[in-house]
């Protein structure tokens, strides 16, 4: 596994660039990831989605279903992709420090 | 000289069946020689290292791919299956070995020109290995590195006018049998419906929005050449409403031996002279046929359109002229709660462009399942959990005997409150006036 140093923080990541430990997350992680996810600036809209993902994960121990993300943030799936070009899984979950989505992908 | 010794795999080069080992070795050799002088974008020895890692798995009986992998292209949430080797030092050529799913043309007709373009692109940017095709239907490009994904996507979309297939919790790549392109049993244009719905639902295919995966398959008759009833959540299976068309002269030709039964499918063995009574009339599941000695008669009211007589005497019996399809819902593999095949939802539906009726039905089913389906619950499981009755309600379909193979044998029946005089609100005191404790 690789480890990344950015602005003095050390992040351990897997091949896909997901954080190995949710607890390692801090705001600089988002700054570091955004370029590889096709995002120029983190807007309040981005932040709303990222915050929701983190809250949901802390409460439930899993990432929310897409439908729940849309319902709670008010962003349609299309808008989520406009904000995060690789989508809610690869884009938003990665930036918010959640574990890598698994299953039949 | 091969990069790795592969004594076990080498044994799979003998025998008559086309050997995947010989083929991979051939590709490995071709990449080493590089006759076209290509600037290979991923390691030249990718196929050699694949054989190496496979030999290792043969030796220790365990897979050597790491768990999962999330890679893709911008704008899509699926289409690429990420994969990493768990021995990257030993086999650097397959350290990354991602699979790219490409949406195939319905029923898989190709021109060599198109396939050549795919191969040229894949030689340069991938391993040179493929699956033709994945079980769902996609062209499968087997093995490339993350940096190549956007390059591949750009090339197939810009130069080949071709898109990725589906993966993840979304609509997967639809597929059909070859339908009316070269089959006289086709009750509707399966390829056209497949293509039309694929285009209609591009968003659902590329951006996972469902509780779980969802598959369409289109069989143009009950023979099920694309196995829609077993391998798709939403199966469209062609059928007809009127009478089987019988050409009595052709029937006589079968009886007389001029025409071979089943178009000669059993020619490899002597089954004796064709016996229309034994092989057709008595085999009919509803026993709705009679052979008078000079004429074949079918009581079409009792025919379940199983295809047997048509399959046996294709030159004498033909599908009817009032054609459409049945729709069956909910097929899935065993995980989690057991395998299911499609259950009949719509016995007969018109199938003609622009297919609005079918699209409306799909919309109703998705609206319900996207709202009610649990995380990773196939529609077949949602039907089990919330009942077939609920499915009928949300699709606005009237219950009919054709919906069941047999009625329930348990008496645990739910009634709606409005169906019951007096409703559910009862006063125990009123009851006690008639029945003392």
């Amino acid at each position: 596994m690789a480890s990344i140093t950015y602005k003095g923080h050390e992040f351990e990541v897997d091949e896909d660039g997901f954080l190995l430990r949710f607890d390692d997350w801090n705001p600089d992680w988002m700054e570091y990831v955004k370029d590889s996810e096709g995002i120029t600036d983190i807007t309040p809209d981005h932040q709303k989605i990222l915050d929701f993902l983190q809250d949901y994960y802390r409460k439930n121990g899993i990432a929310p279903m897409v439908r729940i993300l849309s319902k709670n943030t008010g962003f349609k799936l299309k808008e989520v992709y406009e904000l995060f070009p690789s989508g809610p899984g690869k884009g938003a979950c990665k930036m918010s420090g959640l574990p890598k989505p698994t299953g039949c992908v | 000289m091969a990069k790795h010794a592969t004594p076990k795999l080498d044994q799979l080069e003998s025998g008559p069946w086309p050997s995947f080992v010989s083929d991979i070795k051939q590709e490995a050799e071709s990449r080493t020689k590089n006759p076209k002088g290509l600037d290979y974008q991923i390691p030249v020895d990718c196929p050699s290292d694949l054989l190496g890692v496979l030999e290792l798995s043969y030796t220790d009986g365990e897979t050597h791919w790491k768990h999962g992998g999330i890679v893709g292209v911008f704008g899509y949430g699926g289409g690429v299956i990420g994969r990493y080797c768990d021995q990257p030092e030993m086999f650097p050529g397959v350290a990354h070995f991602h699979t790219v799913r490409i949406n195939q043309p319905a029923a898989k007709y190709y021109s060599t020109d198109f396939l050549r373009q795919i191969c040229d692109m894949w030689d340069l940017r991938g391993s040179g290995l493929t699956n033709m095709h994945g079980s769902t239907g996609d062209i499968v490009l087997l093995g490339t590195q993350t940096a190549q994904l956007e390059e591949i996507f750009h090339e197939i979309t810009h130069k080949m006018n071709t898109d990725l297939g589906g993966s993840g919790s979304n609509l997967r790549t639809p597929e059909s049998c070859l339908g009316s392109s070269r089959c006289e049993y086709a009750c509707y244009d399966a390829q056209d419906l497949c293509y039309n719905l694929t285009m209609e639902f591009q968003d659902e295919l590329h951006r996972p929005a469902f509780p779980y995966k969802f598959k369409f398959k289109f069989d143009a008759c009950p023979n099920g050449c694309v196995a829609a009833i077993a391998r798709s959540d939403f199966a469209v299976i062609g059928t007809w409403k009127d009478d089987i068309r019988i050409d009595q002269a052709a029937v006589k030709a079968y009886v007389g031996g001029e025409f071979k039964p089943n178009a000669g499918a059993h020619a490899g063995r002597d089954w004796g002279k064709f016996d229309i009574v034994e092989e057709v009339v008595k085999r009919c599941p509803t026993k709705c046929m009679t052979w008078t000695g000079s004429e074949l008669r079918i009581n079409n009211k009792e025919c379940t359109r199983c295809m047997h007589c048509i399959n046996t005497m294709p030159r004498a019996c033909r599908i009817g002229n009032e054609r459409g399809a049945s729709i069956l819902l909910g097929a899935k593999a065993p995980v989690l709660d057991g395998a299911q095949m499609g259950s009949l939802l719509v016995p007969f539906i018109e199938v003609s462009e622009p297919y609005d009726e079918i699209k409306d039905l799909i919309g109703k089913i998705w609206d319900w399942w996207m709202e009610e389906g649990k995380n990773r619950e196939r529609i077949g499981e949602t039907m089990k959990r919330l009942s077939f009755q609920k499915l009928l309600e949300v699709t606005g379909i009237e219950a009919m005997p054709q919906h069941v193979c047999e009625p329930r044998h348990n008496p645990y029946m739910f009634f709606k409150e409005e169906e019951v005089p007096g409703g559910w609100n009862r006063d125990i005191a009123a009851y006690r006036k008639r029945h003392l404790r």
Side-chain angles (χ1 to χ4, degrees), chain A residues 1 15-16 18 35-38 62-63 65-67 71 77-78 81 85-90 94 100-105, chain B residues 66-67 69-77 80-81 84 167-168 172 206-209 211-213 370-371 373-376:
Chain A
M1 293 299 166
E15 292 95 338
D16 293 321
F18 280 77
D35 300 343
S36 67
E37 289 301 327
I62 53 165
M65 286 166 73
V66 170
R67 195 165 45 83
K71 256 189 181 163
L77 188 61
K78 209 172 163 171
Y81 274 87
S86 356
K90 184 177 170 285
K94 187 192 285 188
K100 182 155 69 181
T102 57
C104 258
V105 295
Chain B
K66 289 185 183 181
H67 181 87
I70 293 283
V71 288
V73 297
F74 285 157
Y76 289 2
V80 185
I81 318 302
Y84 302 95
S167 72
R172 300 294 184 84
H206 292 306
R207 300 187 188 96
Y212 204 12
K213 63 178 87 160
M370 284 170 77
E371 196 53 45
K374 290 183 174 180
N375 197 11
R376 299 235 166 114

Side-chain angles (χ1 to χ4, degrees), chain A residues 46 49 53 64-93, chain B residues 74-78 167-171 201-212 366 370:
Chain A
H46 286 102
I49 289 176
L53 287 174
M65 286 166 73
V66 170
R67 195 165 45 83
I68 292 169
L69 175 73
S70 288
K71 256 189 181 163
N72 282 273
T73 57
F75 293 114
K76 292 196 178 75
L77 188 61
K78 209 172 163 171
E79 294 166 319
V80 175
Y81 274 87
E82 279 161 11
L83 294 164
F84 298 92
S86 356
K90 184 177 170 285
C93 282
Chain B
F74 285 157
Y76 289 2
S167 72
S169 291
N170 59 4
L171 173 65
F201 297 118
Q202 281 291 292
D203 257 9
E204 286 77 5
L205 193 150
H206 292 306
R207 300 187 188 96
F210 293 161
Y212 204 12
W366 281 350
M370 284 170 77

Side-chain angles (χ1 to χ4, degrees), chain B residues 331-365:
Chain B
K332 58 179 277 294
V335 171
L336 274 166
D337 68 358
Q340 286 190 46
M341 288 181 44
S343 302
L344 184 71
L345 176 66
V346 183
F348 191 89
I349 194 166
E350 295 287 329
V351 184
S352 54
E353 264 214 289
Y355 309 117
D356 285 341
E357 242 185 298
I358 294 174
K359 288 172 187 172
D360 284 353
L361 179 67
I362 291 167
K364 285 175 186 161
I365 291 167

Side-chain angles (χ1 to χ4, degrees), chain B residues 4-6 9 20-21 24-25 28 46-56 91 94:
Chain B
H4 305 280
T6 53
L9 287 171
F20 76 95
V21 178
I24 297 177
K25 282 185 177 178
C46 179
S48 313
D49 275 352
L50 181 71
L51 288 173
V53 75
L54 186 60
E55 181 77 17
L56 181 63
F91 306 106
V94 291

Side-chain angles (χ1 to χ4, degrees), chain B residues 188-260:
Chain B
Y188 69 95
D189 190 341
Q191 287 166 286
D192 191 61
L193 179 59
C194 179
Y195 176 73
N196 189 301
L197 294 189
T198 303
M199 298 312 274
E200 175 82 10
F201 297 118
Q202 281 291 292
D203 257 9
E204 286 77 5
L205 193 150
H206 292 306
R207 300 187 188 96
F210 293 161
Y212 204 12
K213 63 178 87 160
F214 196 96
K215 299 181 183 184
F216 290 162
K217 279 188 168 43
F218 308 95
D219 275 316
C221 86
N223 281 331
C225 292
V226 76
I229 194 169
R231 293 182 154 220
S232 66
D233 301 83
F234 186 92
V236 183
I237 302 176
T239 188
W240 62 95
K241 264 206 300 207
D242 52 346
D243 294 354
I244 291 176
R245 292 169 291 158
I246 306 175
D247 175 345
Q248 298 295 350
V251 175
K252 287 198 181 76
Y254 277 103
V255 173
E258 292 99 89
F259 293 163
K260 294 278 164 278

